């Protein structure tokens, strides 16, 4: 028979239960035991959902209290010494690596956290030493959780990040020069021991994730697959059978690296359906194919007929015993269940499938292929009806939007003058000091703010009461910035639930949800709005708040927008229209907003594009060039409608610009603020090499951690930056927005930032 498999399930729970438990634990409101009990309850609940859906192969060890890669770091004994030396217990040590720890005399910053491939999920980077050793934990999480499921009567397939991916996704610690992949030989015994333990516990198969196979890999990484998987093959029956798992791209360019005698290979057939035949052709004679046909990255109902056809074409070549029907990737990137959405329009809700619904889809597809379509006729008929209804719905189509798109001309992509002329008219108006200080937009989203928004939604306060509450928040934010002595103010974004969802809720062509949370990092979640049709702006979206902010401020006030590419990437996009078309529609809506802000007296406008980098196709080549072309055009289209004297800022939460710097330069933004505090200032070298003429604010401190950076630390960062950037180019700001922080640490950190800036201002002003 054809079996069904899920590669991973979201772990937050139906009501973000895990978020609440971890945050309560951090706040000292619940004990560690209570946290672990809640985590166990969630794991069991999630296994049960999959079992009830009829899924044959259910994952374990897909759970994590903070991040699954971080769990591996700990289980492999790859914890840097700074986290072990103070005697924190295992759980606190784990969180210290995830988010830093500044309590009871212990003061350690977090490890670096970066985007997981091209998704909005973040993982913690394995951070390795020149003399790195590895040692398997006494009770490895994968074994513990396998046993836990077994006790509940569910035999699961444990998920591990494979050794090559673990190392390739890691880096050398600051001051170390080790190339992680060189540590393979030292790492393999740990995998061996773990796999043996899993086998002894009763695991028949293990999902071993090697998603780095979708990249263009350096020779050394490529060369690591062979010894790693030969080693595993040599262990024979002592370890479970391995499902070599890839996702988010095709593996055709790396097919020779797929182990021939492996039990099974998983490929993502949602992203790259065309790889099917080639991959089948290259499989070993016994190897099973796990066909990822149910999208782990989006929320559209699977076209069951099409998925069944795909799976059947594999079955024809391999036979039923050698095909598994699976989700394309872990379902971590989709919300828990559609059943929680009580407010969605019924017509539109019928088009969606969230994680719980997707588990049913895999089971239905497997049954249809195993027993024939008659066995699931009702489900297939209902599905065909939904697919047809969406394809023909007038709600997806707006001729006015299309007409406007057809009228875009070349001049719409250009500012009136080049940067030198623009910056002098901006400077004449803004009169900023050397090293202008600013923040990235958001200030702490306090409990009070969130509660008052909840009250508005529930009708417990009026829109007017809510608006005046927001105005008070803006006034408070302005006052705080005045007291701190910042140079360019922000209104603080108190009215925004999220920088993308907020715009989704105000644009036509979007649907939005009440409970469809997806984990972004640690305990932080987002509710990506859903693009269902052509996008347009029925009314200004941010002008009221920005205008108010200007009216109560004594300094320049930045208007704050989320750029078209980021709106697209952090939404669930349509799958029936190319992403470039959706980005262009967003750009036109934002262009109108930018022009309206300018007319309302906002002289500085920031258009955030933090997701531009993550959207970069994972492999270099034609696809990347095409993406960068439309992404840059969308940004330019949204920002070029203003006068020279209006200053356009953009913000990026990453600093590794090397592979696409030309695109960053092509945005032609007057000022860029970028995340930089965790990276080597060397990365700023690209700005020097290309004689980048415009202004840059590399972040001087990390905002993901509650830890307060000292004035000296910030001075050191600025000093480093000045080795690369000209003083008149440099802005001083944090890495990113401050919404996840508390006020106390925010004020302390900004005060240190300003003190450090004053030191350099005095030094450089003659
Ligand atoms: N979309 C997106 N992606 C992003 C980022 C981002 O800002 N947005 N930033 C980067 C890092 N990722 C982040 C992702 C989320 C959060 C974040 O703060 N999320 C909040 C939720 C934000 C939100 O939607 N808030 C709503 C709902 C708040 C809420 O929880 N309300 C309570 C009731 C109020 C209470 O008791 O607190 C409830 O609904 O139960 C609002 O403010 O209106 C969280 O997890 O806590 C921060 C960074 C990269 N990707
Ligand atoms: C993830 S980028 C965030 C930018 C946004 N303006 C903020 O400050 O929150
Ligand atoms: Zn940011």
């Amino acid at each position: 028979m054809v079996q069904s498999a899920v590669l991973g399930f979201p772990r937050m729970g139906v009501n973000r239960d895990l978020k609440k438990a971890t945050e309560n634990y951090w706040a000292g409101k619940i004990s560690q035991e209570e946290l672990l009990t809640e985590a166990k309850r969630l794991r069991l609940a999630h296994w049960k959902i999959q079992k009830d859906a009829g899924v044959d192969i259910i994952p374990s060890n897909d759970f994590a209290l903070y991040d699954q890669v971080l769990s591996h770091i700990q289980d492999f004994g790859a914890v840097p010494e700074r986290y072990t030396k103070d005697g924190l217990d295992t759980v606190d040590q784990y969180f210290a690596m995830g988010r830093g720890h500044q309590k009871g005399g212990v003061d350690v910053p977090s490890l670096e956290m970066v985007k997981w491939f091209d998704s909005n999920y973040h993982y913690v980077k394995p951070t390795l030493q020149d003399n790195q050793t590895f040692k398997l934990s006494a009770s490895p999480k994968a074994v513990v959780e396998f046993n836990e499921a077994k006790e509940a009567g569910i035999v699961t397939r444990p998920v591990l990040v494979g050794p090559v991916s673990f190392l390739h996704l890691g880096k050398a610690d600051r001051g170390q020069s080790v190339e992680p992949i060189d540590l393979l030989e030292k790492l393999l015994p740990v995998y061996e021991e773990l796999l043996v333990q899993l086998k002894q516990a009763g695991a028949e198969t293990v999902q071993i994730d090697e998603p780095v196979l979708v990249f263009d890999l350096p020779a050394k990484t490529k060369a690591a697959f062979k010894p790693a998987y030969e080693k595993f093959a040599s262990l024979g029956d002592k370890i479970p059978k391995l499902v070599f798992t890839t996702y988010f791209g095709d593996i055709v360019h790396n097919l020779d690296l797929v182990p021939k005698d492996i039990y099974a290979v998983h490929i993502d057939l949602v992203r790259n359906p065309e790889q099917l035949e080639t991959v089948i052709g290259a499989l070993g004679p016994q190897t099973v194919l796990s066909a990822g046909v149910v999208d782990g990255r989006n929320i559209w109902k699977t076209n069951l007929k099409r998925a069944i056809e795909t799976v059947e074409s594999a079955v024809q070549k391999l036979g039923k015993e050698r095909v598994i029907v699976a989700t394309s990737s872990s379902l971590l990137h989709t919300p828990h269940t559609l059943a929680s959405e009580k407010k969605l329009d019924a017509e539109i809700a019928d088009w969606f499938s969230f994680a719980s619904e997707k588990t049913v889809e895999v089971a239905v597809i497997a049954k249809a292929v195993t027993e024939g379509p008659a066995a699931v006729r009702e489900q297939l008929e209902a599905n065909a009806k939904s697919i047809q209804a969406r394809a023909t719905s007038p709600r997806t189509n707006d001729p006015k939007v299309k007409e406007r798109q057809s009228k875009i001309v070349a001049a719409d992509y250009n500012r009136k003058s080049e940067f030198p002329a623009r910056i002098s008219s901006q400077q004449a108006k803004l009169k900023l000091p050397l090293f202008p200080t600013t923040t990235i937009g958001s200030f702490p989203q306090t409990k009070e703010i969130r509660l008052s928004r909840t009250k508005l939604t529930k009708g417990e306060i009026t829109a007017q009461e809510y608006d005046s509450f927001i105005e008070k928040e803006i006034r408070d934010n302005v006052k705080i910035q005045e007291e701190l002595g910042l140079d360019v103010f922000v209104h603080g974004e108190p009215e925004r639930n999220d920088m993308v969802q907020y715009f989704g809720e105000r644009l036509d062509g979007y649907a939005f949800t009440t409970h469809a949370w997806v984990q972004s990092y640690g305990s932080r979640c987002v509710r990506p709005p859903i693009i269902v049709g052509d996008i347009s702006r029925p009314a200004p979206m941010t002008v009221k708040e920005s205008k108010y902010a200007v009216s109560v401020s004594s300094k320049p006030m930045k208007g704050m927008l989320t750029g078209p590419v980021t709106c697209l990437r952090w939404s669930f996009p349509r799958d029936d229209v190319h992403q470039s078309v959706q980005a262009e529609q967003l750009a036109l809506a934002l262009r109108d907003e930018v022009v309206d802000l300018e007319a309302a007296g906002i002289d500085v406008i920031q258009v955030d594009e933090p997701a531009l980098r993550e959207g970069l196709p994972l492999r270099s080549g034609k696809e990347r060039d095409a993406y960068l072309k439309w992404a840059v055009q969308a940004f330019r289209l949204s920002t070029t409608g203003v006068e020279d004297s209006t200053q356009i800022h953009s913000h990026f939460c990453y600093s590794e610009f090397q592979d696409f710097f030309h695109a960053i330069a092509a945005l032609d933004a007057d000022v860029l603020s970028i995340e930089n505090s965790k990276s080597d200032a060397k990365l700023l070298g690209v700005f020097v090499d290309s004689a980048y003429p415009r202004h840059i604010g590399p972040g001087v401190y990390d905002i993901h951690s509650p830890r307060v950076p000292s004035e000296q630390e910030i001075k050191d960062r600025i000093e480093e930056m000045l080795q690369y950037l000209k003083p008149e180019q440099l802005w001083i700001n944090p890495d990113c927005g401050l919404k996840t922080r508390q006020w106390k640490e925010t004020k302390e950190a900004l005060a240190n930032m300003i003190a450090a800036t004053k030191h350099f201002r005095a030094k450089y002003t003659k």
Side-chain angles (χ1 to χ4, degrees):
M1 69 181 255
V2 173
Q3 289 191 304
S4 55
V6 168
L7 266 52
F9 196 81
R11 41 212 182 210
M12 280 294 148
V14 66
N15 286 312
R16 286 183 298 163
D17 316 69
L18 182 60
K19 170 197 177 64
K20 288 169 195 166
T22 35
E23 290 181 357
N24 281 335
Y25 173 67
W26 295 336
K29 290 183 193 152
I30 63 169
S31 68
Q32 194 175 105
E33 200 189 331
E34 286 170 296
L35 169 65
L36 299 180
T37 305
E38 176 66 347
K40 184 170 176 180
R41 180 187 72 78
L42 288 167
R43 287 192 291 269
L44 275 173
H46 300 164
W47 287 322
K48 191 153 183 312
I49 289 171
Q50 300 174 74
K51 183 151 203 234
D52 292 347
V55 174
D56 301 309
I57 302 168
I58 298 171
S60 59
N61 201 40
D62 53 338
F63 183 86
L65 285 173
Y66 199 91
D67 164 53
Q68 72 273 12
V69 181
L70 180 55
S71 305
H72 285 70
I73 295 175
Q74 200 171 41
D75 267 354
F76 293 167
V79 178
E81 200 217 329
R82 54 191 177 276
Y83 302 98
T84 58
K85 66 176 177 29
D86 294 306
L88 294 175
D89 67 46
T90 327
V91 172
D92 286 346
Q93 181 193 81
Y94 175 83
F95 287 135
M97 288 189 280
R99 59 195 296 271
H101 190 105
Q102 198 170 38
K103 208 164 53 185
V106 182
D107 185 357
V108 273
S110 62
L111 290 177
E112 189 183 7
M113 189 176 71
V114 294
K115 285 285 161 90
W116 181 243
F117 294 77
D118 57 358
S119 78
N120 194 7
Y121 178 76
H122 305 62
Y123 76 97
V124 176
K125 246 181 171 342
T127 303
L128 304 158
Q129 318 299 322
D130 294 350
N131 63 354
Q132 186 68 52
T133 56
F134 300 99
K135 183 174 186 299
L136 187 64
S137 130
S139 50
K141 182 173 162 295
V143 178
V144 171
E145 291 179 12
F146 177 82
N147 286 331
E148 195 179 283
K150 204 169 123 194
E151 270 164 39
I154 302 176
V155 178
T156 52
R157 181 170 80 182
V159 184
L160 298 178
V161 176
V164 182
S165 292
F166 180 81
L167 293 173
H168 185 79
L169 295 171
K171 64 165 190 183
D173 208 348
R174 254 194 200 199
Q176 304 291 296
S177 55
V178 65
E179 278 191 60
I181 202 69
D182 290 341
L183 297 167
L184 183 74
E185 221 174 294
K186 285 190 178 172
L187 178 60
L188 285 179
V190 171
Y191 273 88
E192 175 177 346
E193 205 183 328
L194 177 57
L195 288 166
V196 168
Q197 284 189 26
L198 284 170
K199 174 79 182 201
Q200 284 164 356
E204 284 171 21
T205 58
V206 160
Q207 172 186 324
I208 193 146
D209 283 4
E210 290 286 12
V212 302
L213 205 75
V214 307
F215 290 135
D216 289 316
L217 292 170
K220 260 194 179 178
T221 306
K222 285 188 181 182
F225 282 99
K226 198 160 181 263
Y229 286 84
E230 274 178 1
K231 170 82 200 168
F232 297 151
S234 76
L235 298 171
D237 285 349
K238 279 196 275 183
I239 64 167
K241 295 185 283 183
L242 301 181
V243 182
F244 184 91
T245 301
T246 65
Y247 35 80
F248 306 154
D250 78 83
I251 58 168
V252 169
H253 56 293
N254 280 330
L255 262 187
D256 54 326
L257 306 179
V258 177
K260 279 280 178 275
D261 43 8
I262 196 97
Y263 158 67
V265 174
H266 173 86
I267 53 172
D268 184 337
L269 291 171
V270 173
R271 191 68 80 85
N272 291 93
E274 77 292 342
Q275 66 176 324
L276 178 62
E277 249 182 70
T278 319
V279 174
I280 287 181
L283 290 179
Q286 311 286 323
T287 303
V288 169
L289 178 81
S290 168
V293 290
V294 169
D295 197 349
R297 290 283 296 271
N298 212 332
I299 48 65
W300 303 106
K301 246 181 205 176
T302 304
N303 183 330
L304 293 181
K305 181 167 174 283
R306 210 160 56 200
I308 290 167
E309 280 164 14
T310 304
V311 176
E312 273 174 345
S313 75
V315 167
Q316 268 169 18
K317 301 211 171 84
L318 301 169
K320 283 187 188 169
E321 301 309 316
R322 282 180 63 200
V323 176
I324 296 172
V325 175
T327 54
S328 64
S329 66
S330 167
L331 296 174
L332 178 69
H333 314 283
T334 62
H336 189 95
T337 176
L338 188 57
S340 300
E341 298 305 320
K342 309 290 184 210
K343 288 192 178 160
L344 271 179
D345 184 297
E347 182 194 349
I348 290 179
D350 179 53
W351 304 345
F352 303 154
S353 168
F354 295 175
S356 301
E357 292 75 35
K358 283 169 191 282
T359 64
V360 177
E361 290 180 343
V362 258
V364 169
I365 297 168
K367 194 163 179 194
V369 178
T370 303
E371 300 175 23
V376 286
R377 187 186 309 124
E378 249 174 65
Q379 286 100 316
L380 296 188
E381 279 172 7
N383 179 265
K385 235 166 114 183
S386 310
I387 301 289
Q388 171 75 7
R390 178 175 164 220
T392 53
S393 170
R395 297 178 69 157
T396 63
N397 185 16
D398 185 344
K400 283 203 293 295
V401 173
K402 297 210 170 72
E403 194 199 322
R404 184 163 179 208
Q405 286 182 283
S406 73
K407 291 192 174 144
I408 298 170
V409 295
D412 294 341
Y413 295 109
N414 294 319
R415 295 285 296 265
K416 296 194 167 64
S417 308
E418 297 291 323
F419 177 72
R422 298 198 310 255
I423 194 73
S424 43
S425 59
Q426 291 161 17
Q427 198 47 18
K429 197 163 170 187
L430 299 171
K431 304 194 172 56
L432 297 172
L434 188 65
F435 308 123
T437 54
T438 191
T439 58
I440 306 304
S442 56
F443 276 127
Q445 282 272 339
T446 58
K447 185 147 189 79
E448 206 191 348
I449 296 177
R450 289 198 302 266
L451 269 179
S452 97
R453 194 151 35 245
T454 306
K455 283 187 187 156
L456 173 72
T457 321
K458 289 190 179 157
E460 289 168 14
I461 57 170
T462 64
Q464 225 169 16
E465 285 170 310
Y466 178 72
D467 287 351
S468 50
F469 169 78
I470 293 294
E471 286 187 351
K472 182 190 126 321
E473 289 293 314
I474 294 175
R475 282 197 305 279
D476 290 352
N477 288 342
V478 168
K479 185 151 174 276
I480 290 166
Q481 294 173 87
E482 262 155 8
E483 283 164 7
L484 283 164
L486 282 145
D487 301 305
V488 174
F489 290 1
V490 295
H491 77 289
E493 306 178 27
E495 77 288 5
R496 302 187 191 177
N497 41 19
D498 172 73
M499 58 185 288
V500 171
Q501 191 190 352
Y502 181 81
F503 290 94
E505 289 173 358
R506 279 157 188 77
L507 288 165
D508 284 346
Y510 261 105
F512 45 90
T513 61
T514 51
H515 292 75
W517 295 99
V518 176
Q519 184 179 12
S520 180
Y521 71 88
S523 69
R524 295 288 166 176
C525 301
V526 294
R527 266 176 302 187
I530 306 170
I531 306 180
V532 294
D534 291 331
I535 300 158
S536 61
R537 186 191 75 143
M541 304 181 282
T542 64
V543 175
K544 187 174 74 179
E545 289 78 10
S546 277
K547 209 169 157 177
Y548 180 76
V550 169
S551 77
V552 295
S553 164
S554 56
K555 295 258 185 85
M557 173 65 63
K558 265 197 284 194
M560 196 59 59
L561 300 173
T562 305
V565 181
T566 299
C567 280
L568 173 71
R569 298 283 321 170
W570 291 353
S571 301
F572 287 118
R574 294 168 76 168
D575 58 357
D576 56 341
V577 164
H578 196 271
Q579 298 210 352
S580 60
V581 177
Q582 302 174 64
E584 190 175 85
Q585 295 176 352
L586 283 159
L588 288 171
L590 287 162
R591 181 179 179 92
D592 295 346
E593 186 74 13
V594 169
V595 169
D596 284 350
L597 281 173
E598 179 182 56
I602 323 289
D603 299 328
V604 183
I605 301 170
Q606 179 174 311
V607 179
D608 294 323
E609 280 292 23
L612 198 132
R613 174 69 179 78
E614 109 198 3
L616 194 66
L618 299 172
R619 298 184 56 207
S620 56
K622 267 200 288 208
E623 237 188 286
R624 236 184 220 192
D625 298 340
Y627 164 78
L628 287 176
K629 182 156 188 251
W630 64 252
V632 168
Q633 280 187 335
F635 179 86
R636 291 179 70 123
L637 188 58
S638 51
T639 51
T640 51
V642 293
E643 297 302 322
D644 286 348
S645 61
T646 297
Q647 187 166 71
I648 297 289
H649 288 222
S650 189
H651 162 71
F652 301 87
C653 325
Y654 48 82
S655 51
E656 297 188 1
F657 288 133
Q658 301 90 324
D659 45 0
F660 74 126
F661 187 76
H662 62 285
I664 294 298
L667 298 175
D668 200 22
D670 299 310
V671 183
L672 296 181
S673 59
I674 61 181
E675 171 274 325
N676 191 251
S677 74
K678 293 253 143 185
S679 326
D680 205 314
K682 253 191 250 145
L683 294 175
L684 297 174
V686 288
F687 290 97
V688 184
D689 299 342
S690 67
Y692 185 81
R694 295 177 282 275
H695 290 188
I696 308 151
V700 295
Y701 74 89
D702 175 33
I703 53 81
H704 291 107
S705 161
R707 186 177 171 274
V708 174
S710 68
E711 184 182 327
Q712 188 56 46
E713 269 171 75
I714 298 178
K715 278 187 187 160
D716 294 344
R717 293 306 283 172
I718 298 176
E719 191 77 65
E720 268 183 318
M721 290 167 189
L722 283 166
Q723 290 169 19
Y724 297 94
L725 302 173
K726 297 195 201 94
E728 58 278 14
Q729 268 187 306
L730 186 62
W731 285 60
I732 308 293
N733 45 258
D735 266 355
C736 182
L738 298 159
K739 62 187 161 206
T740 60
R741 301 275 52 88
Q742 306 283 321
W743 267 115
K744 182 175 181 295
E745 71 232 22
T746 299
K747 287 183 187 167
E748 288 172 20
L750 289 175
N752 289 348
M753 180 182 99
I754 286 160
T757 306
K758 284 192 175 143
H759 165 83
F760 287 95
R761 211 173 267 163
K763 192 166 149 192
Y764 280 81
T765 313
K766 286 146 228 154

